[in-house]
Amino acid sequence: MHEELRVAAYAVCVRDDQVLLARWVAGDGTKRWTLPGGGMDHGEDPYDTVVREVEEETGHTVEPVSLLGVDSVRRSYPRRLGARADFHGLRVVYEARITGGTLRNEVGGSTDMAAWHPLDAVEDLERVELVDVGLRLWRERPRTGHLFRAERPISG
């Protein structure tokens, strides 16, 4: 099985009881809301990654104000010629404050829309698990930066 590691940084931006989300477009065209953020470039600091990615995906400039935690996810999926990939995603999650910019949609990236959503409406959105993880980190602020959850098998 081919091993893949992806390290990424994401922002939880809450203002006036609303959270900033970006709509991610999967390879199959499925669209789901996610936290703004994304993969680190080689040699890039996660702090710089989250600043860059939020601006790319939403038009807003941000200042990370707190490291909320680190989430680890593991999945298995099919690759070419019948092989499988063992994917490990390491997600660094910050609380960030909007410092400027104007809300806009990303062009030519992995997201197609950015929007503010009322916190109490998030559960009704088509969203990736990371949104729930990030909001839980933001609300609970675990001292260790780690959320304990039931053990999950590698999904495929």
Side-chain angles (χ1 to χ4, degrees), residues 101-129:
T102 302
L103 183 67
R104 61 149 175 76
N105 299 329
E106 182 178 29
V107 176
S110 61
T111 66
D112 71 345
M113 184 183 292
W116 289 92
H117 295 273
L119 286 168
D120 61 4
V122 169
E123 68 182 41
D124 296 326
L125 296 173
E126 288 292 326
R127 65 194 184 281
V128 299
E129 176 195 23

Side-chain angles (χ1 to χ4, degrees), residues 6 14 26 31 37-38 69 72 82 88 92 112 115 120 127:
R6 180 175 189 260
V14 176
K31 297 178 180 183
S72 180
H88 181 192
V92 180
D112 71 345
D120 61 4
R127 65 194 184 281

